[in-house]
């Protein structure tokens, strides 16, 4: 899958990411982590970051869901 500079990235999988929109290459680990909203200094320990990004829900999305649960259910 080739990315579009004007559209959101598709779902990432644990087997690797999409291709860069302008260059003939796949995305780097840093680019994949940024798409998933992981901070640049996030410690993945000894697990491949591409695998973690493909198998997880983006941290920013979970934060937004947790805030809505707090506001709508727990308050």
């Amino acid at each position: 899958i080739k990315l579009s500079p004007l559209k959101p990235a598709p779902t990432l999988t644990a087997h690797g990411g999409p291709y860069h929109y302008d260059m003939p290459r796949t995305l780097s680990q840093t680019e994949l982590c940024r798409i998933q909203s992981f901070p640049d200094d996030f410690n993945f320990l000894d697990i491949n970051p591409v695998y973690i990004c493909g198998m997880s829900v983006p941290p920013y999305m979970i934060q937004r869901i947790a805030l809505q649960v707090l506001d709508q259910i727990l308050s």
Side-chain angles (χ1 to χ4, degrees):
I1 297 174
K2 188 174 182 179
L3 291 178
S4 168
L6 304 175
K7 295 180 182 177
T11 300
L12 300 179
T13 65
H15 300 293
Y19 287 91
H20 193 274
Y21 68 91
D22 192 33
M23 300 176 189
R25 64 175 178 85
T26 57
L27 298 180
S28 68
Q29 288 183 358
T30 303
E31 290 168 329
L32 289 172
C33 293
R34 287 179 180 171
I35 286 174
Q36 283 289 92
S37 77
F38 282 95
D40 287 342
D41 61 348
F42 189 81
N43 185 357
F44 291 98
L45 301 176
D46 291 331
I47 303 172
N48 183 358
V50 174
Y51 178 78
I52 296 293
C53 288
M55 295 297 290
S56 65
V57 177
Y60 183 72
M61 181 178 173
I62 288 296
Q63 177 192 28
R64 303 294 296 178
I65 292 171
L67 290 173
Q68 288 302 310
V69 168
L70 178 66
D71 288 345
Q72 295 180 24
I73 299 174
L74 301 177
S75 295

